[in-house]
């Protein structure tokens, strides 16, 4: 797969993911009104899924064959201007991707420094950690570090999680609240979601809605922890008492998002939004498990249909561009479609025919491209391919020099070469007359060697 194909795949996936994110946002507004906090978080996994799986690209490959054969695919091969623009954009994307990787490595360095300067939590803190872990049925070892300059308690890591808390916490109940909030992030696998977000942001760095997705993951991950603390902990924590602790330890607004951590609070404004959500949850009746499952399934199906519809739309757009561009030549110098002369010759009429080895498979939207240097009076032929009577074979040719006269057509199973000839760049669609193996041929009708660019499709 070429860099261009990778870039197009990422671009289409980014567009699809953005559409699904907008769809999720509309659904979440109604679910939030009903107080369905947990269900919103579940649907957010579906949004992440469609930011990672290139549904539209796969649809184009399977249905339209846009990227079958050739280095850049049929669409771009037929339109050189598009391939030049896409090459530039692909290189820019690659540069941005490496910049994002560098930023990630810098974040990892910051985390290592925090771990180095942080002091392992004291005996009292570890006793509280053990108490909360037993309550949440956590068996893994999760170290806790105290930082002198900690803006807000947070949990970080992926395969190995660590909790960082301010050093000045003296109240045992306050400490227990903070640790239970952070450990519940571990229970509900929020850091796995953040890791997926990290790769989405690195790959789709050009998409501002990818960064919005990260903020939504942070916000709803914290809200689900809030729900556990206020309603799911057997009435252990009072809502006002809990949010007072959250606000107390959210000292500054976070200017940037670390993609491998979950903070207890990002800003006072965000905390007040979370408080309003909890007030709604209190008075609402939650969906039953089966109802929640069915709604998630419906959202997944609707998202898939949306992506497939986008793929269908892209395929139709591709068809129009392809049909408009296929009459053009391979080269940068384009000519008006020339008048073509039809002719037929027997294979024995030629002194030299150069055949490409092997066999190619041209499906309904396949393409194959060639660049040949052909001596005077010599015929070059493609590999064998199977065609059925009535099939359409499209051939485009661009010679260099552009004023050269050439012939092109089909070498048929009966040994007769049927083609058209002209000067300059031209194209023609041949209707297959015999079922069997064929080759596409190009004939140099000049008295000197010429170069040709050829595109074959059906």
């Amino acid at each position: 797969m070429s860099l261009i194909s990778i870039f197009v795949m990422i671009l289409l996936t980014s567009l699809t993911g953005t559409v699904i994110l907008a769809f999720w946002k509309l659904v979440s507004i109604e679910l939030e009104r009903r107080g369905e906090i947990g269900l919103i978080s579940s649907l957010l996994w579906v949004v992440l899924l469609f930011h990672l799986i290139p549904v539209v690209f796969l649809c184009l490959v399977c249905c339209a064959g846009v990227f079958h054969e050739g280095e850049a695919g049929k669409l771009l091969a037929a339109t050189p201007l598009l391939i030049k623009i896409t090459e530039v954009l692909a290189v820019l994307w690659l540069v941005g991707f490496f910049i994002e990787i560098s930023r990630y490595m810098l974040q990892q360095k910051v985390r290592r420094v925090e771990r180095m300067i942080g002091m392992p939590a004291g005996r009292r803190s570890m006793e509280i950690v053990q108490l909360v872990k037993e309550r949440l049925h956590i068996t893994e070892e999760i170290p806790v570090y105290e930082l002198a300059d900690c803006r807000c308690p947070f949990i970080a890591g992926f395969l190995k999680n660590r909790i960082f808390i301010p050093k000045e916490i003296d109240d045992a109940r306050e400490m227990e609240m903070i640790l239970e909030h952070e450990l519940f992030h571990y229970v509900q696998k929020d850091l796995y979601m953040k890791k997926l977000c990290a790769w989405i942001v690195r790959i789709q760095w050009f998409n501002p809605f990818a960064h919005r997705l990260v903020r939504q993951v942070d916000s709803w991950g914290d809200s689900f922890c809030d729900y556990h603390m206020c309603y799911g902990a057997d009435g252990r924590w009072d809502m006002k008492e809990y949010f007072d602790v959250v606000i107390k330890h959210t000292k500054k607004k976070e200017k940037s998002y670390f993609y491998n951590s979950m903070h207890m609070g990002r800003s006072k404004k965000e905390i007040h939004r979370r408080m309003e959500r909890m007030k709604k949850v209190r008075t609402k009746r939650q969906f039953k498990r089966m109802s929640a499952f069915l709604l998630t399934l419906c959202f997944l199906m609707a998202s898939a249909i949306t992506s497939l519809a986008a793929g269908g739309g892209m395929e139709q757009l591709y068809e129009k561009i392809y049909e408009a561009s296929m009459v053009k030549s391979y080269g940068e110098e384009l000519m008006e479609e020339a008048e073509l002369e039809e002719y037929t010759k027997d294979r024995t009429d030629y002194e030299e025919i150069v055949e490409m080895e092997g066999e190619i498979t041209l499906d309904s939207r396949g393409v194959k491209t060639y660049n040949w240097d052909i001596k005077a009076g010599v015929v070059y032929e493609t590999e064998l391919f199977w065609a059925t009577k009535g099939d359409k074979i499209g051939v485009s040719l661009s010679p260099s020099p552009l004023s050269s006269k050439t012939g092109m057509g089909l070498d048929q199973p009966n040994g007769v070469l049927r083609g058209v000839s002209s000067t300059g760049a031209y194209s023609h669609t041949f209707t297959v007359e015999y079922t069997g193996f064929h080759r596409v041929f190009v004939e140099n009708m000049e008295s000197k060697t010429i170069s040709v660019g050829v595109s074959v499709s059906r």
Side-chain angles (χ1 to χ4, degrees):
M1 181 178 289
S2 67
L3 176 62
I4 290 178
S5 297
I6 293 173
F7 171 69
V8 173
M9 176 179 68
I10 291 169
L11 180 62
L12 294 177
T13 305
S14 178
L15 292 173
T16 305
T18 300
V19 172
I20 303 305
L21 177 62
F23 182 35
W24 168 86
K25 186 62 178 178
L26 293 174
V27 174
S28 68
I29 291 174
E30 175 60 23
L31 290 177
E32 183 177 355
R33 188 184 68 82
R34 294 176 55 91
E36 301 294 341
I37 305 299
L39 188 53
I40 292 175
S41 297
S42 298
L43 297 182
L44 204 51
W45 278 101
V46 180
V47 179
L48 290 174
L49 181 70
F50 281 92
H51 270 85
L52 294 169
I53 299 179
V55 179
V56 175
F57 180 82
L58 295 175
C59 178
L60 289 176
V61 169
C62 297
C63 301
V66 175
F67 297 94
H68 287 173
E69 309 289 349
E71 294 182 357
K74 185 171 72 169
L75 172 62
L76 299 179
T79 47
L81 180 60
L82 280 180
I83 195 171
K84 294 297 182 184
I85 294 174
T86 310
E87 280 178 347
V88 173
L89 294 177
V91 171
L92 289 175
W93 166 80
L94 191 61
V95 171
F97 176 69
F98 281 117
I99 291 175
E100 287 296 324
I101 292 293
S102 300
R103 290 181 59 191
Y104 170 74
M105 295 179 69
L106 180 61
Q107 287 183 351
Q108 292 295 91
K109 184 178 180 179
V110 171
R111 288 291 178 243
R112 285 195 294 270
V113 170
E114 288 175 335
R115 192 164 65 249
M116 291 173 60
I117 65 176
M119 296 292 294
R123 180 178 178 181
R124 187 194 62 164
S125 298
M126 294 311 301
E127 289 176 352
I128 297 175
V129 169
Q130 190 59 36
L131 175 65
V132 176
K133 284 173 58 179
E134 291 176 0
R135 185 186 302 150
L136 298 177
H137 307 290
I138 298 173
T139 57
E140 291 78 5
E141 185 66 27
I142 302 178
V144 178
Y145 295 89
E146 295 179 350
L147 291 175
D149 183 23
C150 183
R151 292 183 176 183
C152 183
F154 64 92
I155 184 171
F158 179 58
L159 297 178
K160 188 174 182 180
N161 301 132
R162 298 175 178 86
I163 296 176
F164 296 84
I165 60 175
K167 193 174 182 179
E168 69 275 4
I169 301 177
D170 295 321
D171 186 87
R173 183 172 175 81
E174 185 176 314
M175 174 80 74
E176 187 176 353
M177 278 188 191
I178 292 172
L179 292 174
E180 184 161 347
H181 176 100
E182 300 306 331
L183 286 170
F184 198 74
H185 279 303
Y186 172 85
V187 171
Q188 61 184 6
K189 309 301 181 185
D190 285 333
L191 291 173
Y192 287 97
M193 188 177 284
K194 286 298 292 288
K195 182 60 70 173
L196 292 180
C197 284
W199 281 105
I200 290 172
V201 169
R202 288 174 213 145
I203 294 172
Q204 301 180 16
W205 58 266
F206 54 87
N207 182 7
F209 293 99
H211 297 271
R212 184 176 292 273
L213 174 63
V214 177
R215 291 193 288 271
Q216 294 295 332
V217 168
D218 268 312
S219 178
W220 288 104
D222 280 323
S223 289
F224 203 36
C225 285
D226 297 339
Y227 176 77
H228 165 77
M229 297 296 291
C230 297
Y231 301 108
D234 302 324
R236 189 176 297 106
W237 313 115
D238 176 72
M239 183 187 297
K240 183 180 183 306
E241 180 186 13
Y242 164 70
F243 277 109
D244 282 344
V245 172
V246 175
I247 293 173
K248 176 183 177 181
H249 290 283
T250 304
K251 298 179 181 178
K252 298 180 181 179
K253 181 179 180 180
E254 289 288 339
K255 295 182 179 180
S256 61
Y257 280 74
F258 281 93
Y259 301 124
N260 60 343
S261 62
M262 293 291 295
H263 287 66
M264 193 172 188
R266 290 285 177 180
S267 66
K268 301 292 179 60
K269 183 178 179 180
E270 174 64 23
I271 293 172
H272 284 297
R273 186 181 296 118
R274 286 160 51 186
M275 291 172 63
E276 292 300 318
R277 287 174 184 167
M278 290 305 104
K279 292 177 181 178
K280 294 177 182 178
V281 171
R282 176 185 296 180
T283 58
K284 301 296 180 180
R285 183 179 178 183
Q286 298 293 298
F287 276 174
K288 293 182 179 179
R289 181 172 297 180
M290 180 56 68
S291 299
F293 171 77
L294 292 176
L295 181 58
T296 304
L297 183 62
C298 289
F299 183 80
L300 179 62
M301 292 177 61
S303 300
I305 293 172
T306 300
S307 296
L308 293 176
M314 288 297 299
E315 182 178 351
Q316 291 180 5
L317 177 62
Y318 155 71
E319 293 280 356
K320 292 180 180 180
I321 296 175
Y322 178 72
E323 290 172 2
S325 63
M326 196 59 189
V327 298
K328 303 296 182 182
S329 75
Y330 219 74
E332 291 296 334
E333 303 173 88
L334 300 178
M335 298 180 59
E336 296 295 328
E337 189 171 2
E339 293 186 5
L340 307 179
E341 297 180 7
E342 297 184 2
Y343 70 97
T344 58
K345 286 186 179 181
D346 193 85
R347 286 182 61 88
T348 58
D349 294 338
Y350 294 100
E351 293 185 3
E352 183 178 1
I353 297 178
V354 179
E355 299 176 347
M356 300 293 103
E357 296 182 356
E359 181 180 339
I360 57 175
T361 301
L362 293 177
D363 64 8
S364 60
R365 297 304 294 177
V367 68
K368 186 72 174 180
T369 58
Y370 304 87
N371 288 285
W372 291 325
D373 293 323
I374 307 177
K375 295 180 180 179
V378 175
V379 174
Y380 268 54
E381 293 190 335
T382 68
E383 305 93 328
L384 285 168
F385 62 89
W386 183 268
T388 306
K389 182 178 180 179
D391 285 351
K392 303 290 184 181
I393 307 296
V395 186
S396 293
L397 182 150
S398 176
S400 179
L402 195 60
S403 58
S404 304
K405 184 174 182 178
T406 57
M408 67 178 191
L410 298 179
D411 185 349
Q412 304 174 118
N414 62 357
V416 175
L417 277 67
R418 175 170 60 90
V420 295
S421 65
S422 183
T423 57
Y426 59 99
S427 64
H428 187 68
T429 300
F430 297 90
T431 302
V432 176
E433 295 181 349
Y434 302 95
T435 298
F437 284 101
H438 293 69
R439 296 177 187 267
V440 170
F441 75 87
V442 175
E443 177 183 357
N444 180 3
M445 297 182 173
E446 295 289 330
S447 59
K448 59 183 179 180
T449 300
I450 63 172
S451 298
V452 295
V454 185
S455 175
V456 182
S457 67
R458 82 174 194 203

